[in-house]
């Protein structure tokens, strides 16, 4: 694959690198006195030197003959050096930051490259929204590589989105210099059913010689998983069980082990490595979704490597999972993923192999961060006006908008039970009282009324349901971060607070809010597509922390509850979900009635 993410293509500077390695030309930078984490051979090499020129590595070993009058010598003073970290699957929008501010947050933590799937903004604004994010990325040192959103909508026919992506659109993006592959193919039912639409999208990617990334969330590792991999899907980040990840690796699929702000899968999926004598080359550590408070308080891939070590994974193996394994997954290891001659000079420094306390970051040979601070200045970028006016709801939202009629004194409904720190849900049958012909929330049973309002085309569509598991005792919450269509999602104890929450977001252009007793307790405005803000990461971290405290005030104690809430509308995750078109049975992939039918 031709890589446009290095300062210089190898063919252009190969003679320069040879001259530096042979001592005929001085290096631009020489690192000395370093402990090299050699991810090629899984070993630590002491007292190593690295010579750098034209943004690439010319020599690893004794570089004394590469030092000239103009060479900058960096004394590692016994610190470890490792390849820069790569995140193989990330939705930048989930950080609530633009790409520029996201880069400012993660690069000092050792992240030099991300394989970003901007399907959140694509579902709202289409490919022109994706292009805005890539323009935002261009001003940063971070290597933000595009995997084209594959599922807009996530599962066709079950929701209304702001845009549509088909094989023709995917084919066009494969010509873009920034594109390295296809974003997660969440429509695995379409792949398994051999639909022309789904295979057309993956086919255009394969035809272009690029990587198809996956999303296989079913607890099935037999013929379905085999069929999915056989279709050309190379990796999957949806393993939540030890056996899921192990089965994928055994079938030659890269198992991306996730540890995000809300999805704490590593404790379970790390066992696929620690409990089995298997080669870990097909294991990759990724974040998927990380909010700003996590980035500020814990870090990014450095934090995930630490978590992997805590779960019993060898530190060098964990570092391989964010470097060479990831680069090989995307067939870009000729440029990325190791400290070796010819590779991009993307290097991180740290003093402790288990703490991964990043002190310096080089990208293409430039020192871009030191001691937790980005050094490189970035040009400003402003998203266009059309990207900040995306709330198009047809009807005024009032308490009456949340009325759910029912007959009799009680009714049994299908309720979505969420699972703390997990992406899955359960379909629970719950019996609710009917008051004045209407169904209401039931705090005693931890059941909240829920509604999804279409917000892209003013269709007036609203889907109704009930959610269980948040522990809310009063108030309501609303969010336009509602994967993946990102319609307006509202849930709460009473209709008045639900209307207040909905209208608060309509007025501020989208975001996330918690209210109670007629008052707004916490709000994070996200005016860019209803998904992101242009505020600095530390400011956003404070706002998100305040929102988490508001959730706690109304009774919820689960980690990152708004991220769990955001998945209520994602119709490609088992078992039950709610979109603007209604309740979706995500095991049979069909709509289901809110009321449980007599069997």
């Amino acid at each position: 694959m031709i890589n446009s993410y290095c300062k210089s293509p190898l063919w252009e500077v190969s003679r320069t690198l040879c001259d530096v390695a042979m001592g005929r030309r001085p290096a631009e930078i020489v690192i000395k006195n370093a402990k090299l984490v050699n991810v090629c051979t899984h070993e630590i090499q002491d007292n190593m030197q690295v010579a750098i020129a034209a943004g690439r590595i010319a020599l690893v070993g004794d570089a004394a003959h590469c030092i000239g009058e103009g060479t900058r010598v960096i004394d590692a003073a016994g610190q470890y050096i490792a390849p820069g970290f790569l995140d193989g699957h990330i939705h930048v929008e989930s950080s609530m930051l633009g790409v520029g501010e996201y880069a400012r947050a993660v690069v000092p933590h050792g992240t030099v490259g991300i394989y970003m799937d901007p399907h959140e903004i694509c579902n709202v604004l289409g490919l022109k929204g994706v292009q805005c994010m890539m323009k935002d990325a261009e001003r940063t040192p971070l290597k933000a590589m595009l995997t084209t959103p594959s599922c807009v909508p996530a599962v066709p026919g079950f929701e209304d989105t702001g845009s549509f992506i088909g094989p023709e659109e995917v084919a066009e993006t494969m010509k873009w210099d920034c594109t390295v592959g296809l974003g997660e193919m969440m429509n695995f039912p379409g792949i398994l059913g051999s639909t022309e639409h789904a295979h057309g999208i993956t086919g255009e990617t394969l035809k272009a010689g690029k990587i198809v990334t996956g999303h296989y969330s079913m607890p099935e590792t037999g013929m379905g998983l085999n069929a999915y991999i056989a279709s050309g899907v190379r990796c999957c980040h949806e393993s939540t069980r030890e056996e899921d990840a192990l089965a994928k690796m055994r079938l030659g699929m890269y198992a991306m082990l996730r540890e995000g702000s809300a999805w704490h899968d590593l404790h379970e999926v790390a066992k696929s490595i620690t409990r089995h004598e298997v080669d870990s080359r097909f294991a990759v550590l990724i974040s998927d979704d990380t909010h700003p408070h996590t980035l500020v308080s814990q870090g990014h891939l450095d934090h995930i490597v630490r978590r992997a070590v805590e779960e019993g994974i060898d530190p060098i193996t964990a570092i391989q999972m964010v470097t060479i394994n990831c680069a090989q997954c995307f067939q870009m290891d000729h440029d990325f993923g190791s400290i070796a001659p010819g590779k991009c000079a993307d290097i991180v420094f740290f003093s402790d192999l288990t703490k991964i306390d990043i002190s310096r970051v080089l990208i293409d040979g430039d020192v871009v961060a030191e001691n937790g601070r980005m050094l490189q200045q970035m040009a400003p970028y402003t998203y266009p006006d059309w990207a900040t006016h995306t709330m198009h709801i047809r009807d005024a939202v009032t308490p009456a908008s949340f009325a759910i009629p029912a007959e009799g004194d009680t009714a049994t409904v299908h309720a979505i039970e969420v699972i703390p720190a997990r992406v899955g849900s359960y379909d629970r049958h719950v019996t609710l009282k009917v008051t004045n012909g209407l169904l209401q929330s039931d705090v005693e049973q931890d059941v909240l009324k829920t509604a999804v309002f279409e917000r892209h085309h003013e269709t007036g569509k609203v889907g109704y349901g009930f959610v269980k598991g948040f522990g809310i005792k009063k108030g309501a919450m609303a969010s336009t971060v509602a994967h993946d269509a990102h319609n307006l999602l509202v849930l709460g104890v009473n209709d008045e607070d639900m209307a207040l929450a909905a209208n608060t977001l309509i007025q501020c252009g989208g975001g996330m809010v918690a209210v109670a007793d007629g008052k707004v307790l916490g709000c994070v405005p996200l005016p860019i597509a209803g998904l992101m803000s242009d505020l600095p990461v530390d400011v956003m971290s404070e706002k998100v922390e305040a929102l988490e405290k508001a959730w706690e005030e109304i009774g919820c104690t689960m980690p990152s509850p708004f991220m769990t809430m955001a998945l209520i509308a994602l119709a490609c995750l088992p078992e039950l979900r709610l979109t603007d078109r209604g309740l979706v049975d995500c095991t049979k992939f069909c709509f289901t009635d809110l009321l449980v039918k007599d069997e």
Side-chain angles (χ1 to χ4, degrees), residues 402 418 441 448-451 465-467 470 472 475-479 489-494 497-498 501 513 515 551 554 565-566 568:
F402 299 94
V418 297
S441 298
L448 303 177
K449 185 185 297 185
T450 309
F466 288 88
V467 172
F470 280 103
I472 300 300
M477 296 73 64
S479 178
L489 171 63
V490 190
L491 57 89
V493 171
N494 64 80
D497 278 339
M498 292 177 76
V513 66
V515 309
W551 276 79
I554 59 179
M565 176 181 171
I568 289 171

Side-chain angles (χ1 to χ4, degrees), residues 310-357:
E310 289 172 356
E311 294 297 338
I313 295 177
D314 171 81
I316 301 176
T317 300
I319 291 171
Q320 287 177 318
M321 292 179 184
V322 293
T323 56
I324 194 167
N325 292 12
C326 184
Q328 289 176 339
C329 174
F330 286 91
Q331 297 181 341
M332 298 178 74
D333 52 305
H334 56 294
D335 284 324
F336 296 159
S338 61
I339 297 178
K343 306 297 190 290
C344 294
D346 302 334
I347 300 172
V348 298
F349 292 65
F350 52 93
S351 58
D352 190 300
L353 196 57
T354 58
K355 293 181 180 179
I356 315 295
D357 48 342

Side-chain angles (χ1 to χ4, degrees), residues 12-70:
E12 192 176 83
V13 298
S14 59
R15 293 178 64 191
T16 297
L17 297 178
C18 284
D19 286 344
V20 170
M22 294 298 294
R24 294 189 292 265
R25 183 172 182 166
E28 296 170 15
I29 294 176
V30 167
I31 301 169
K32 67 176 186 178
N33 298 324
K35 295 178 181 177
L36 172 63
V37 180
N38 194 321
V39 296
C40 299
T41 53
H42 195 281
E43 63 178 327
I44 303 295
Q45 294 178 271
D46 291 326
N47 196 29
M48 295 296 289
Q49 299 176 353
V50 179
I52 298 168
R56 291 180 178 265
I57 297 168
L59 179 143
V60 179
D62 183 357
H65 63 289
C66 304
I67 300 175
E69 186 175 338

Side-chain angles (χ1 to χ4, degrees), residues 363-425:
I363 297 180
D364 287 338
D366 296 325
V367 180
V368 296
E370 283 187 333
N371 300 319
R373 185 172 61 90
M374 178 90 88
L375 300 180
Q376 184 168 322
Q377 297 297 314
M378 296 187 294
Y381 177 77
T382 302
Y383 282 80
D385 286 344
W386 51 262
T388 59
H389 295 85
T390 61
M391 296 298 290
H392 306 296
I393 294 176
R394 189 186 71 184
D395 303 315
V397 179
T398 68
S401 302
F402 299 94
I404 305 177
E407 297 178 353
D409 296 326
T410 63
T412 301
V413 302
H414 290 277
I416 303 166
E417 182 174 0
V418 297
I419 308 169
R422 294 288 185 269
V423 299
S425 71

Side-chain angles (χ1 to χ4, degrees), residues 264-284:
H264 301 167
D265 296 326
L266 197 52
H267 176 67
E268 179 62 29
V269 295
K271 297 171 185 175
S272 64
I273 302 297
T274 59
R275 289 186 176 181
H276 303 271
E277 294 183 3
V278 295
D279 194 315
S280 60
R281 73 179 71 186
F282 282 100
V284 178

Side-chain angles (χ1 to χ4, degrees), residues 475 494 496-497 500 515-521:
N494 64 80
E496 290 74 21
D497 278 339
L500 172 60
V515 309
D517 302 323
K519 296 181 180 179
V520 175
L521 303 180

